[in-house]
């Protein structure tokens, strides 16, 4: 079955650590996106990538980094510069501007 | 920045009733989409309406779009307990060249009581 896989489902980070969230899709979609969701809030865009080896900052990119070396993969690194990283992180992809987005099941990151 | 704002923030109805959620947005859009999220899960795409469309149906869902008022509504008819979830509207804007980004509102929490 085609879809988006996010891993891990739960992640715990110590203060000062960098952590990387995985997002893999087998839908052959060009564009991929990372969103952050805080309790009771909507989704805010962190980074997005329209094609391999290219990505743009979203609305809240500070403290995050991404790479897009393969079409299938768009990992997100939460760096120690992100002061409040505890949140639910969602990865999405789409095939074209006129199509809906497919979301992964999310990674819940907690700082301990 | 948030583009869409849903109204109401929370809605509680009885099974069998209709549920209407509204969304307003600020800037011109390519299309508008509605998503559903069950607690702690990813989002599921429900329906997309293009900027040149005024109404769209999918099963028990009916979406309208009024670009002059920059607003949309989602109607769920004959609601079921399984419809209990958060519903988000999201707008697609062209951010330059072939770049498109999807911007979400804060969502409406729908509770359908059996």
């Amino acid at each position: 079955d085609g879809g988006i896989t996010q891993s891990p489902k739960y992640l715990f980070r110590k203060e000062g650590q960098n952590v990387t969230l995985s997002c893999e899709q087998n839908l052959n979609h060009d564009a991929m996106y990372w969103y952050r969701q805080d309790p009771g809030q909507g989704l805010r865009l962190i980074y997005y990538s329209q094609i391999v080896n290219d990505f743009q900052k979203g609305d809240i990119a500070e403290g995050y980094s991404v790479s897009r070396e393969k079409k299938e993969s768009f990992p997100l690194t939460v760096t120690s510069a992100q002061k409040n990283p505890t949140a639910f992180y969602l990865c999405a992809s789409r095939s074209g501007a006129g199509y809906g987005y497919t979301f992964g099941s999310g990674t819940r990151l907690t700082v301990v | 920045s948030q583009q869409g704002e849903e109204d109401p923030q929370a809605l509680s109805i009885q099974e069998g009733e209709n549920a209407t959620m509204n969304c307003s947005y600020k800037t011109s859009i390519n299309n508008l989409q509605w998503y559903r999220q069950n607690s702690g899960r990813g989002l599921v795409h429900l329906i997309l309406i293009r900027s040149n469309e005024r109404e769209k149906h999918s099963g028990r869902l009916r979406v309208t779009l009024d670009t002059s008022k920059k607003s949309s509504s989602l109607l769920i008819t004959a609601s079921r307990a399984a419809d209990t979830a958060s519903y988000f509207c999201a707008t697609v804007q062209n951010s330059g060249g072939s770049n498109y980004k999807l911007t979400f509102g804060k969502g409406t929490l729908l509770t359908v009581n059996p």
Side-chain angles (χ1 to χ4, degrees):
Chain A
D1 287 339
I4 295 184
T5 302
Q6 288 187 245
S7 62
K9 190 169 185 176
Y10 299 96
L11 186 57
F12 297 91
R13 191 194 94 168
K14 294 182 179 178
E15 295 279 354
Q17 269 187 342
N18 292 354
V19 290
T20 298
L21 284 59
S22 171
C23 178
E24 303 276 335
Q25 54 101 356
N26 60 3
L27 300 165
N28 200 34
H29 286 174
D30 287 316
M32 297 185 74
Y33 302 78
W34 273 106
Y35 288 89
R36 169 183 171 138
Q37 185 178 32
D38 293 285
Q41 300 294 314
L43 280 68
R44 292 184 290 167
L45 182 63
I46 305 173
Y47 267 98
Y48 61 109
S49 168
Q50 305 288 342
I51 57 172
V52 174
N53 292 323
D54 185 52
F55 48 82
Q56 287 78 40
K57 292 182 179 180
D59 300 317
I60 56 164
E62 186 175 350
Y64 300 97
S65 66
V66 294
S67 63
R68 187 86 186 276
E69 296 176 2
K70 299 186 299 181
K71 188 176 186 177
E72 301 80 16
S73 179
F74 191 39
L76 173 74
T77 297
V78 184
T79 74
S80 57
Q82 171 48 239
K83 298 306 178 190
N84 185 23
T86 294
F88 189 48
Y89 290 86
L90 287 158
C91 180
S93 70
R94 66 159 177 82
S95 61
Y99 296 88
Y101 288 49
T102 301
F103 279 83
S105 56
T107 292
R108 190 165 299 279
L109 173 64
T110 304
V111 174
V112 296
Chain B
S1 59
Q2 305 281 164
Q3 161 76 315
E5 291 290 337
E6 288 91 344
D7 171 57
Q9 290 186 334
L11 179 61
S12 182
I13 60 174
Q14 295 301 121
E15 211 166 20
E17 293 180 341
N18 295 343
T20 299
M21 289 159 269
N22 302 297
C23 169
S24 60
Y25 58 92
K26 298 173 184 174
T27 63
S28 61
I29 61 172
N30 178 280
N31 62 69
L32 184 144
Q33 304 177 23
W34 284 90
Y35 288 81
R36 165 196 169 120
Q37 183 182 35
N38 288 85
S39 181
R41 307 293 295 272
L43 277 70
V44 175
H45 177 253
L46 295 176
I47 196 164
L48 179 154
I49 185 164
R50 292 179 171 77
S51 59
N52 61 352
E53 296 176 313
R54 293 297 168 258
E55 188 172 313
K56 206 159 183 181
H57 297 253
S58 176
R60 293 184 296 114
L61 306 180
R62 172 178 170 253
V63 168
T64 62
L65 178 65
D66 187 333
T67 53
S68 66
K69 295 181 179 178
K70 292 186 170 59
S71 67
S72 174
S73 67
L74 171 67
L75 169 67
I76 304 175
T77 60
S79 63
R80 306 165 181 168
D83 293 329
T84 294
S86 291
Y87 291 82
F88 294 90
C89 77
T91 54
V92 174
Q93 303 99 35
N94 186 306
S95 55
S98 60
N99 292 330
Y100 291 85
K101 63 176 187 176
L102 189 68
T103 308
F104 286 82
K106 294 185 179 181
T108 293
L109 176 60
L110 172 66
T111 303
V112 181
N113 301 300

